[in-house]
Amino acid sequence: MAEGSGRTDYITWDEYFMGIALLSAERSKDPKRQVGACIVNNEKKIVGVGYNSMPYGCDDAKYPWKKGPKDSLKAKYLYVSHAELNAIVNKNSSDVKECKIYVTFFPCNECTKLIIQSGIKEIIYKEYPKKDKPEWIASKRMLDDANVVYRRFDDINTSTRSRILLNFERERD
């Protein structure tokens, strides 16, 4: 490598922030779907991260992690805090206005309301659920009306890289 030149195989900003969201998702104890979120300001600084989990102080072992009917007290839907909510409430800045949120899964209608109300202006998502369900249709309708941009990560990622391997025992020169 010539003096003064740096690596050329480094990850893009989008890969970096989606990578943080994917890594955050690995903290989730949900056996069905692990979701992560990473909020980034205009200076490319991370201002919040989150993953789907039980609320703070609620013992994971005492609450259900199974789907079940949504009106059943044995269904996780009544208890789990979504990644987007956790990233917003765990933020390390005064607000998240004008920020981007990187999420591993397209936001549900409830998280969409929170994203809009918090002032986040862009969503970059990795996966999209079944598009014909009312909660996803409602999400897109609200995002469109509120002028919040949403883009699929695979559509904006210009890299040919399909994975990043984290190695806790990386060799150093």
Side-chain angles (χ1 to χ4, degrees):
M1 183 167 24
E3 190 173 326
S5 64
R7 284 180 46 218
T8 57
D9 63 342
Y10 57 88
I11 62 176
T12 66
W13 284 112
D14 288 323
E15 288 172 323
Y16 177 64
F17 297 129
M18 185 57 76
I20 298 294
L22 288 162
L23 188 60
S24 296
E26 292 298 314
R27 285 285 308 141
S28 176
K29 294 182 181 175
D30 191 323
K32 174 82 171 142
R33 173 163 287 125
Q34 301 80 45
V35 181
C38 177
I39 302 173
V40 180
N41 69 15
N42 290 330
E43 299 171 340
K44 295 188 177 8
K45 293 180 182 174
I46 296 171
V47 297
V49 293
Y51 55 91
N52 54 326
S53 66
M54 291 299 165
Y56 182 75
C58 294
D59 185 347
D60 293 330
K62 290 183 180 178
Y63 291 90
W65 284 104
K66 296 204 166 122
K67 277 179 116 176
K70 288 190 178 188
D71 61 349
S72 167
L73 288 175
K74 295 184 183 214
K76 70 179 180 177
Y77 304 107
L78 297 176
Y79 308 101
V80 173
S81 294
H82 289 186
E84 301 92 333
L85 179 146
N86 284 328
I88 291 169
V89 300
N90 293 331
K91 69 186 182 303
N92 60 10
S93 66
S94 60
D95 63 52
V96 292
K97 286 183 172 72
E98 305 299 320
C99 287
K100 290 182 184 182
I101 187 167
Y102 289 77
V103 289
T104 59
F105 201 74
F106 192 84
C108 71
N109 62 308
E110 292 299 321
C111 289
T112 293
K113 290 186 268 187
L114 185 59
I115 287 167
I116 292 168
Q117 290 295 87
S118 70
I120 290 172
K121 289 297 179 192
E122 186 171 352
I123 300 166
I124 292 100
Y125 63 92
K126 182 80 176 116
E127 294 180 52
Y128 191 83
K130 294 179 182 171
K131 297 176 181 167
D132 58 345
K133 285 191 166 187
E135 57 263 35
W136 313 120
I137 296 169
S139 291
K140 281 193 165 186
R141 179 185 288 177
M142 289 186 285
L143 292 168
D144 289 341
D145 283 348
N147 295 313
V148 175
V149 175
Y150 50 93
R151 300 182 298 155
R152 191 168 167 256
F153 175 74
D154 292 340
D155 293 341
I156 65 166
N157 185 22
T158 57
S159 170
T160 57
R161 186 181 353 265
S162 63
R163 63 185 231 171
I164 298 169
L165 177 64
L166 294 178
N167 183 353
F168 288 105
E169 297 179 9
R170 183 174 179 175
E171 292 182 26
R172 300 282 178 197
D173 290 335

